[in-house]
Amino acid sequence: MTQSARDGGDVAILGAGLIGLALAFVLAERGSTVRVFDPGQPAKAASWAGAGMLAPLTEGIEDAAMQTLCEASLAQYPAFVRRVRDASSIDPHLRLDGILRAAFSAEAFAELQSRAGELCAAGHHCDIQDRDRTLALEPALGKHVHGSLLVEGEGQIDNRRLGRALAAACESLGVVIQAGARDIVVEADARRVLGVRSEVGFVAAGSIVNAAGAWASCIAGVPESCVPPVRPVKGQMLALSIPRGFVRRTTWVPGAYMVPREDGRLLVGATVEEGGYDTRVTAGGLHELLDAVVSAAPALAGFTVSETWAGLRPGSRDGRPFLGRTQLEGYFLAAGHYRNGILLAPATAELLADALQGIASEAIVPFELTNARGEA
């Protein structure tokens, strides 16, 4: 156990996205003194840009360790949200009413039937819907739909509201969020971390956590062996203004997904693009999304595009995040969550809080940087 964690002392978290804020919240609940540094504003970047889907089964994750972690985090979400809501008085709108995956060909429908068999055999609750039942569940879909798979227990959270809620919850527990802290450098001696230096000065810390998202590999001041191989992966999204209830639940269609919000927006996403730190919204990206969603649900063609944006996911070579200790004493990672950062926020926070307090967990071992996994 580090001195800071044992004494409830200073922990510095680099990055105020959902991962960093969730960890700060859990640590503060446990009695640690926490300061969060971010060059921008809390809960922006990928945390703001995502759709908030909580879909470990619909995603079809093939990595067993990753699948287990994602399912565990989904199970933690209701209690996690209750704690955040109680501390912040902000409701993040958690909805676990299932995710529908629609098929528009006989072949695709057969694949969904096969997937349903696998899920049921593994003890998960899901249901195959024929064409008529699919249209009864989601009338906005085109009549050319063949059927669908409804995976129960999955759903969505409004990630922008969750970000605001976590920031407020952290501040209510005494966490200091240092926004606009640029030129962040980890200061360390040959053995361990000493603190964080930025344009606002030096702050001593017994433990430092790199939760910098797509910029995790850019943190200065640490040995090369402690740099996580994380790269930015761009995702473009858009929102349509629709009547509430026009699309009833999170729905996957070929080439896109639709996530209805309670404020009447329908989020449509998302592209997957390699190209550095470019966050431009492009005609090609929007065309790809609109073509997919209007092909599946022609009734959406007449609605207004109310918002467009792009974010940078923190990608790793194998899709796993980097979690836990490094070879530099006191320096920890919570980075590289790629498409599952929002889903994995509760589990990551608990695992990292345990690691900081010296509580051993086998669940974190497959994700440690010391288990070398190659370049991003």
Side-chain angles (χ1 to χ4, degrees):
M1 181 183 302
T2 66
Q3 184 71 28
S4 70
R6 180 170 64 246
D7 296 339
D10 293 341
V11 178
I13 298 174
L14 311 182
L18 293 183
I19 294 294
L21 291 175
L23 175 57
F25 173 68
V26 170
L27 285 170
E29 285 185 315
R30 297 188 184 192
S32 293
T33 300
V34 186
R35 185 183 292 264
V36 183
F37 297 83
D38 197 287
Q41 295 300 311
K44 295 297 184 179
S47 296
W48 180 89
M53 284 190 300
L54 308 175
L57 302 177
T58 299
E59 285 273 7
I61 300 168
E62 296 182 358
D63 182 331
M66 185 67 172
Q67 180 71 36
T68 298
L69 183 63
C70 288
E71 289 186 42
S73 199
L74 178 60
Q76 294 175 29
Y77 241 105
F80 175 73
V81 165
R82 283 194 297 270
R83 285 153 45 209
V84 173
R85 186 177 58 227
D86 290 346
S88 68
S89 300
I90 298 174
D91 183 358
H93 294 170
L94 176 65
R95 290 178 52 185
L96 298 179
D97 54 351
I99 290 183
L100 195 73
R101 186 156 199 161
F104 289 84
S105 69
E107 181 181 9
F109 187 48
E111 291 176 357
L112 290 185
Q113 291 174 309
S114 177
R115 178 61 175 161
E118 295 172 357
L119 291 174
C120 290
H124 301 293
H125 297 288
C126 62
D127 191 18
I128 281 289
Q129 316 286 331
D130 63 16
R131 175 182 174 277
D132 291 341
R133 292 170 65 192
T134 296
L135 290 173
L137 287 172
E138 286 297 343
L141 292 174
K143 292 185 173 18
H144 57 303
V145 68
H146 279 242
S148 61
L149 170 63
L150 177 64
V151 180
E152 299 177 15
E154 296 188 320
Q156 58 148 303
I157 191 164
D158 189 325
N159 45 295
R160 296 182 184 179
R161 291 183 64 89
L162 178 60
R164 294 198 297 272
L166 275 169
C170 284
E171 291 177 352
S172 76
L173 294 177
V175 174
V176 175
I177 300 175
Q178 185 66 60
R182 302 187 182 279
D183 303 321
I184 294 172
V185 177
V186 173
E187 292 208 355
D189 59 24
R191 188 178 65 87
R192 63 162 298 110
V193 300
L194 301 174
V196 176
R197 186 173 296 280
S198 70
E199 64 179 14
V200 299
F202 175 78
V203 177
S207 301
I208 298 173
V209 182
N210 180 345
W215 292 265
S217 65
C218 303
I219 299 298
V222 299
E224 185 67 26
S225 62
C226 299
V227 177
V230 172
R231 73 187 191 282
V233 182
K234 179 178 173 180
Q236 298 187 54
M237 291 188 62
L238 61 90
L240 301 175
S241 293
I242 64 171
R244 288 184 61 180
F246 193 85
V247 175
R248 299 175 180 177
R249 61 167 50 79
T250 302
T251 302
W252 284 43
V253 299
Y257 52 74
M258 303 183 291
V259 182
R261 291 287 197 243
E262 294 187 18
D263 61 5
R265 290 180 305 139
L266 179 69
L267 309 189
V268 178
T271 65
V272 177
E273 305 171 53
E274 303 280 355
Y277 292 91
D278 172 21
T279 56
R280 293 174 304 131
V281 176
T282 66
L286 297 183
H287 178 270
E288 176 183 333
L289 297 174
L290 287 169
D291 183 63
V293 76
V294 172
S295 294
L300 295 175
F303 292 113
T304 301
V305 176
S306 58
E307 186 182 1
T308 63
W309 66 95
L312 299 174
R313 310 174 185 91
S316 66
R317 182 188 62 81
D318 56 7
R320 289 185 183 181
F322 297 96
L323 307 178
R325 62 186 176 85
T326 67
Q327 294 176 354
L328 178 63
E329 185 178 345
Y331 188 62
F332 295 79
L333 299 177
H337 290 76
Y338 190 39
R339 296 171 60 95
N340 292 295
I342 298 168
L343 170 61
L344 286 174
T348 296
E350 296 293 341
L351 285 174
L352 263 294
D354 283 350
L356 284 157
Q357 295 181 334
I359 301 171
S361 171
E362 289 298 318
I364 204 171
V365 173
F367 304 97
E368 291 180 338
L369 181 64
T370 49
N371 296 324
R373 293 171 3 220
E375 297 298 319

